[in-house]
Amino acid sequence: MKFLSVLLLVLLAFTSCSTTKVDSQIMVSGRCELEIDPDMATLSIGVNERGETTKEAQENVNVKLAAVLSILKDEYKIDKNDIKTTNMSVYPEYSWIDGKQVLIGQKASQSIEVTIRNLPLISSIFDDLTEVSGINISNINLDSSKKSEYLSLARKLATDDARKRADDYSANQSLKSGRVISITEKGFDGSRYAIPVNSTAAKSLAMEDAIVESDYHFSKISVSAEVDVIFELEANK
């Protein structure tokens, strides 16, 4: 009888201790989106030229590209590391004449991407580039040199958001979120809003003898993070 009484006390003690341990988990999503001011931009410049031979077509491209690079490097002191070639191609050009495909010449093209780190200069850079006839300016996008710092902040705030959601869902069960079991990033968004600009615009417009320069309105850019977090649940004492 004395042995049974001791065993019962041990079982009761074990039961009492185990009631404070919750063997449960919860998975929730958290999200954060930050809007920040841009401090830089990228744009693409394309040159396409024709010639009777491949060499002539490429030389025509080189002439216009040299004029573009002179504006960027000499006038605006853009670092050579902020200018990179994204495409080069040469190919024959044909035309249908009297129902036959006839070779009419060669075509060459080259594209570069330029990073502009002094954002207020973009209007005058664009205007000066349009002095070079026949080039294509496109894909003008805003960016931030501090995007990685903001992304780290967005990840932290997204994780905090997930914990708050976990606590909201478990509160009715007298539980709260505990240690993190795992975090899975669902992807991040470093969106860059394009500047509203017409890439075929002339450098200036004569309007009642006034010169109208290009004017750009810069939007904020967004940086966001979204995570799935698994929390261990514990009793909310």
Side-chain angles (χ1 to χ4, degrees):
M1 178 66 70
K2 182 177 181 180
F3 172 77
L4 289 175
S5 298
V6 172
L7 179 61
L8 181 59
L9 287 173
V10 171
L11 288 174
L12 288 172
F14 177 78
T15 303
S16 177
C17 292
S18 65
T19 56
T20 62
K21 179 176 176 59
V22 180
D23 188 19
S24 299
Q25 298 176 355
I26 184 173
M27 185 179 78
V28 292
S29 295
R31 178 174 173 80
C32 173
E33 182 173 357
L34 303 173
E35 287 195 343
I36 61 178
D37 292 319
D39 61 8
M40 57 189 291
T42 59
L43 57 85
S44 296
I45 302 172
V47 180
N48 299 279
E49 289 296 320
R50 294 181 174 86
E52 292 185 1
T53 64
T54 301
K55 182 179 180 180
E56 181 183 342
Q58 185 60 50
E59 287 176 346
N60 292 338
V61 166
N62 293 342
V63 169
K64 286 195 175 181
L65 194 58
V68 168
L69 294 177
S70 177
I71 293 172
L72 297 174
K73 292 181 178 181
D74 299 338
E75 295 185 30
Y76 291 97
K77 309 302 180 185
I78 293 179
D79 191 277
K80 64 179 182 180
N81 294 322
D82 287 331
I83 303 172
K84 63 179 181 181
T85 299
T86 56
N87 177 66
M88 289 183 68
S89 62
V90 290
Y91 48 91
E93 187 173 24
Y94 295 91
S95 180
W96 287 93
I97 301 176
D98 296 331
K100 296 181 180 181
Q101 192 178 40
V102 178
L103 178 66
I104 60 173
Q106 300 290 326
K107 193 169 184 178
S109 64
Q110 186 167 344
S111 299
I112 61 173
E113 183 181 81
V114 183
T115 299
I116 300 172
R117 301 188 183 277
N118 189 351
L119 197 56
L121 290 179
I122 193 168
S123 297
S124 57
I125 291 175
F126 183 87
D127 286 341
D128 286 347
L129 286 174
T130 56
E131 288 280 6
V132 184
S133 177
I135 66 172
N136 178 50
I137 305 173
S138 61
N139 300 326
I140 304 180
N141 292 313
L142 302 176
D143 207 343
S144 171
S145 59
K146 298 181 180 179
K147 187 192 295 183
S148 61
E149 298 174 24
Y150 286 112
L151 179 57
S152 294
L153 176 60
R155 285 169 173 156
K156 179 184 181 302
L157 294 177
T159 305
D160 291 345
D161 180 55
R163 183 176 290 278
K164 183 179 184 306
R165 291 170 186 262
D167 289 340
D168 288 344
Y169 291 134
S170 57
N172 290 337
Q173 307 300 320
S174 296
L175 300 172
K176 66 178 181 178
S177 62
R179 70 184 183 92
V180 174
I181 304 298
S182 70
I183 300 178
T184 303
E185 189 169 16
K186 300 172 72 172
F188 68 90
D189 176 23
S191 298
R192 302 186 296 179
Y193 291 86
I195 302 168
V197 61
N198 180 0
S199 63
T200 60
K203 180 175 185 262
S204 60
L205 298 175
M207 186 179 299
E208 295 181 357
D209 297 326
I211 301 299
V212 181
E213 295 183 348
S214 298
D215 183 24
Y216 305 104
H217 302 283
F218 303 128
S219 304
K220 288 182 178 291
I221 62 176
S222 68
V223 176
S224 64
E226 188 170 2
V227 295
D228 287 334
V229 186
I230 298 177
F231 295 98
E232 185 178 67
L233 291 177
E234 57 187 37
N236 190 4
K237 296 181 182 180

mmCIF file of all heavy atoms in Angstrom, residues 145-167:
data_model
loop_
_atom_site.group_PDB
_atom_site.id
_atom_site.type_symbol
_atom_site.label_atom_id
_atom_site.label_comp_id
_atom_site.label_asym_id
_atom_site.label_seq_id
_atom_site.Cartn_x
_atom_site.Cartn_y
_atom_site.Cartn_z
ATOM 1 N N SER A 145 20.739 53.020 -53.679
ATOM 2 C CA SER A 145 22.032 52.447 -53.308
ATOM 3 C C SER A 145 21.966 51.780 -51.938
ATOM 4 O O SER A 145 22.868 51.032 -51.556
ATOM 5 C CB SER A 145 23.100 53.544 -53.288
ATOM 6 O OG SER A 145 22.758 54.572 -52.370
ATOM 7 N N LYS A 146 20.890 52.050 -51.178
ATOM 8 C CA LYS A 146 20.727 51.472 -49.844
ATOM 9 C C LYS A 146 19.658 50.389 -49.818
ATOM 10 O O LYS A 146 19.129 50.056 -48.750
ATOM 11 C CB LYS A 146 20.362 52.580 -48.851
ATOM 12 C CG LYS A 146 21.431 53.658 -48.703
ATOM 13 C CD LYS A 146 21.007 54.706 -47.700
ATOM 14 C CE LYS A 146 22.086 55.786 -47.543
ATOM 15 N NZ LYS A 146 21.679 56.832 -46.580
ATOM 16 N N LYS A 147 19.355 49.814 -50.984
ATOM 17 C CA LYS A 147 18.267 48.835 -51.044
ATOM 18 C C LYS A 147 18.524 47.625 -50.151
ATOM 19 O O LYS A 147 17.611 47.097 -49.498
ATOM 20 C CB LYS A 147 18.044 48.374 -52.476
ATOM 21 C CG LYS A 147 16.814 47.480 -52.609
ATOM 22 C CD LYS A 147 16.746 46.781 -53.947
ATOM 23 C CE LYS A 147 16.561 47.758 -55.063
ATOM 24 N NZ LYS A 147 16.429 47.087 -56.369
ATOM 25 N N SER A 148 19.775 47.151 -50.089
ATOM 26 C CA SER A 148 20.073 45.964 -49.282
ATOM 27 C C SER A 148 19.822 46.234 -47.800
ATOM 28 O O SER A 148 19.357 45.350 -47.066
ATOM 29 C CB SER A 148 21.523 45.525 -49.502
ATOM 30 O OG SER A 148 22.427 46.544 -49.122
ATOM 31 N N GLU A 149 20.101 47.470 -47.351
ATOM 32 C CA GLU A 149 19.843 47.812 -45.957
ATOM 33 C C GLU A 149 18.341 47.826 -45.673
ATOM 34 O O GLU A 149 17.881 47.321 -44.635
ATOM 35 C CB GLU A 149 20.441 49.181 -45.637
ATOM 36 C CG GLU A 149 21.954 49.255 -45.799
ATOM 37 C CD GLU A 149 22.487 50.660 -45.621
ATOM 38 O OE1 GLU A 149 21.811 51.465 -44.938
ATOM 39 O OE2 GLU A 149 23.569 50.959 -46.147
ATOM 40 N N TYR A 150 17.580 48.394 -46.587
ATOM 41 C CA TYR A 150 16.133 48.420 -46.414
ATOM 42 C C TYR A 150 15.536 47.019 -46.509
ATOM 43 O O TYR A 150 14.543 46.713 -45.838
ATOM 44 C CB TYR A 150 15.490 49.338 -47.452
ATOM 45 C CG TYR A 150 15.700 50.808 -47.171
ATOM 46 C CD1 TYR A 150 16.492 51.599 -47.996
ATOM 47 C CD2 TYR A 150 15.110 51.411 -46.061
ATOM 48 C CE1 TYR A 150 16.687 52.952 -47.737
ATOM 49 C CE2 TYR A 150 15.291 52.759 -45.793
ATOM 50 C CZ TYR A 150 16.086 53.522 -46.630
ATOM 51 O OH TYR A 150 16.281 54.852 -46.363
ATOM 52 N N LEU A 151 16.124 46.166 -47.337
ATOM 53 C CA LEU A 151 15.635 44.801 -47.457
ATOM 54 C C LEU A 151 15.844 44.045 -46.142
ATOM 55 O O LEU A 151 14.973 43.277 -45.710
ATOM 56 C CB LEU A 151 16.345 44.087 -48.607
ATOM 57 C CG LEU A 151 15.946 42.627 -48.842
ATOM 58 C CD1 LEU A 151 14.450 42.505 -49.080
ATOM 59 C CD2 LEU A 151 16.726 42.047 -50.007
ATOM 60 N N SER A 152 16.988 44.252 -45.497
ATOM 61 C CA SER A 152 17.233 43.609 -44.201
ATOM 62 C C SER A 152 16.193 44.060 -43.176
ATOM 63 O O SER A 152 15.676 43.249 -42.390
ATOM 64 C CB SER A 152 18.643 43.954 -43.700
ATOM 65 O OG SER A 152 19.628 43.398 -44.540
ATOM 66 N N LEU A 153 15.878 45.354 -43.188
ATOM 67 C CA LEU A 153 14.859 45.876 -42.287
ATOM 68 C C LEU A 153 13.495 45.271 -42.598
ATOM 69 O O LEU A 153 12.741 44.897 -41.686
ATOM 70 C CB LEU A 153 14.799 47.399 -42.388
ATOM 71 C CG LEU A 153 13.713 48.100 -41.559
ATOM 72 C CD1 LEU A 153 13.900 47.805 -40.073
ATOM 73 C CD2 LEU A 153 13.729 49.602 -41.818
ATOM 74 N N ALA A 154 13.163 45.162 -43.891
ATOM 75 C CA ALA A 154 11.873 44.590 -44.290
ATOM 76 C C ALA A 154 11.755 43.140 -43.832
ATOM 77 O O ALA A 154 10.681 42.691 -43.403
ATOM 78 C CB ALA A 154 11.699 44.686 -45.804
ATOM 79 N N ARG A 155 12.844 42.383 -43.903
ATOM 80 C CA ARG A 155 12.822 40.989 -43.448
ATOM 81 C C ARG A 155 12.551 40.911 -41.944
ATOM 82 O O ARG A 155 11.780 40.058 -41.490
ATOM 83 C CB ARG A 155 14.146 40.319 -43.792
ATOM 84 C CG ARG A 155 14.295 39.981 -45.271
ATOM 85 C CD ARG A 155 15.711 39.577 -45.591
ATOM 86 N NE ARG A 155 15.839 39.094 -46.962
ATOM 87 C CZ ARG A 155 16.974 39.111 -47.657
ATOM 88 N NH1 ARG A 155 18.082 39.577 -47.093
ATOM 89 N NH2 ARG A 155 17.012 38.649 -48.891
ATOM 90 N N LYS A 156 13.213 41.776 -41.189
ATOM 91 C CA LYS A 156 13.000 41.777 -39.740
ATOM 92 C C LYS A 156 11.553 42.126 -39.402
ATOM 93 O O LYS A 156 10.912 41.459 -38.564
ATOM 94 C CB LYS A 156 13.940 42.784 -39.075
ATOM 95 C CG LYS A 156 13.766 42.880 -37.562
ATOM 96 C CD LYS A 156 14.651 43.954 -36.976
ATOM 97 C CE LYS A 156 14.496 44.018 -35.448
ATOM 98 N NZ LYS A 156 13.096 44.276 -35.048
ATOM 99 N N LEU A 157 11.035 43.157 -40.051
ATOM 100 C CA LEU A 157 9.659 43.576 -39.768
ATOM 101 C C LEU A 157 8.647 42.532 -40.235
ATOM 102 O O LEU A 157 7.592 42.364 -39.614
ATOM 103 C CB LEU A 157 9.385 44.927 -40.433
ATOM 104 C CG LEU A 157 10.199 46.103 -39.878
ATOM 105 C CD1 LEU A 157 9.908 47.379 -40.658
ATOM 106 C CD2 LEU A 157 9.930 46.312 -38.395
ATOM 107 N N ALA A 158 8.957 41.814 -41.313
ATOM 108 C CA ALA A 158 8.074 40.741 -41.776
ATOM 109 C C ALA A 158 8.030 39.611 -40.753
ATOM 110 O O ALA A 158 6.971 39.023 -40.498
ATOM 111 C CB ALA A 158 8.545 40.220 -43.132
ATOM 112 N N THR A 159 9.184 39.300 -40.158
ATOM 113 C CA THR A 159 9.230 38.264 -39.123
ATOM 114 C C THR A 159 8.469 38.711 -37.885
ATOM 115 O O THR A 159 7.746 37.913 -37.257
ATOM 116 C CB THR A 159 10.685 37.934 -38.762
ATOM 117 O OG1 THR A 159 11.401 37.576 -39.947
ATOM 118 C CG2 THR A 159 10.751 36.771 -37.784
ATOM 119 N N ASP A 160 8.609 39.979 -37.508
ATOM 120 C CA ASP A 160 7.841 40.517 -36.383
ATOM 121 C C ASP A 160 6.342 40.443 -36.665
ATOM 122 O O ASP A 160 5.538 40.143 -35.762
ATOM 123 C CB ASP A 160 8.245 41.971 -36.118
ATOM 124 C CG ASP A 160 9.658 42.101 -35.571
ATOM 125 O OD1 ASP A 160 10.221 41.077 -35.132
ATOM 126 O OD2 ASP A 160 10.202 43.223 -35.613
ATOM 127 N N ASP A 161 5.966 40.717 -37.894
ATOM 128 C CA ASP A 161 4.555 40.646 -38.285
ATOM 129 C C ASP A 161 4.037 39.214 -38.157
ATOM 130 O O ASP A 161 2.909 38.987 -37.714
ATOM 131 C CB ASP A 161 4.393 41.152 -39.724
ATOM 132 C CG ASP A 161 2.961 41.103 -40.203
ATOM 133 O OD1 ASP A 161 2.082 41.686 -39.541
ATOM 134 O OD2 ASP A 161 2.710 40.483 -41.271
ATOM 135 N N ALA A 162 4.871 38.249 -38.539
ATOM 136 C CA ALA A 162 4.472 36.849 -38.416
ATOM 137 C C ALA A 162 4.255 36.470 -36.950
ATOM 138 O O ALA A 162 3.294 35.761 -36.605
ATOM 139 C CB ALA A 162 5.539 35.951 -39.044
ATOM 140 N N ARG A 163 5.138 36.933 -36.063
ATOM 141 C CA ARG A 163 4.966 36.609 -34.639
ATOM 142 C C ARG A 163 3.679 37.223 -34.086
ATOM 143 O O ARG A 163 2.963 36.584 -33.297
ATOM 144 C CB ARG A 163 6.173 37.092 -33.840
ATOM 145 C CG ARG A 163 6.083 36.727 -32.357
ATOM 146 C CD ARG A 163 7.331 37.135 -31.595
ATOM 147 N NE ARG A 163 8.475 36.315 -31.949
ATOM 148 C CZ ARG A 163 8.725 35.113 -31.448
ATOM 149 N NH1 ARG A 163 7.879 34.561 -30.582
ATOM 150 N NH2 ARG A 163 9.812 34.457 -31.805
ATOM 151 N N LYS A 164 3.384 38.431 -34.479
ATOM 152 C CA LYS A 164 2.141 39.059 -34.004
ATOM 153 C C LYS A 164 0.916 38.270 -34.473
ATOM 154 O O LYS A 164 -0.033 38.073 -33.719
ATOM 155 C CB LYS A 164 2.051 40.500 -34.509
ATOM 156 C CG LYS A 164 0.830 41.259 -34.005
ATOM 157 C CD LYS A 164 0.800 42.680 -34.514
ATOM 158 C CE LYS A 164 -0.382 43.449 -33.916
ATOM 159 N NZ LYS A 164 -1.677 42.772 -34.133
ATOM 160 N N ARG A 165 0.955 37.822 -35.716
ATOM 161 C CA ARG A 165 -0.162 37.019 -36.223
ATOM 162 C C ARG A 165 -0.283 35.708 -35.444
ATOM 163 O O ARG A 165 -1.397 35.265 -35.121
ATOM 164 C CB ARG A 165 0.030 36.729 -37.712
ATOM 165 C CG ARG A 165 -0.106 37.953 -38.611
ATOM 166 C CD ARG A 165 0.339 37.614 -40.034
ATOM 167 N NE ARG A 165 0.359 38.791 -40.878
ATOM 168 C CZ ARG A 165 -0.632 39.127 -41.718
ATOM 169 N NH1 ARG A 165 -1.706 38.367 -41.801
ATOM 170 N NH2 ARG A 165 -0.543 40.215 -42.457
ATOM 171 N N ALA A 166 0.862 35.086 -35.153
ATOM 172 C CA ALA A 166 0.849 33.827 -34.403
ATOM 173 C C ALA A 166 0.229 34.041 -33.024
ATOM 174 O O ALA A 166 -0.573 33.220 -32.546
ATOM 175 C CB ALA A 166 2.266 33.279 -34.277
ATOM 176 N N ASP A 167 0.591 35.141 -32.357
ATOM 177 C CA ASP A 167 0.025 35.438 -31.039
ATOM 178 C C ASP A 167 -1.466 35.722 -31.135
ATOM 179 O O ASP A 167 -2.241 35.321 -30.252
ATOM 180 C CB ASP A 167 0.755 36.630 -30.421
ATOM 181 C CG ASP A 167 2.173 36.288 -29.988
ATOM 182 O OD1 ASP A 167 2.464 35.089 -29.803
ATOM 183 O OD2 ASP A 167 2.999 37.221 -29.868
#
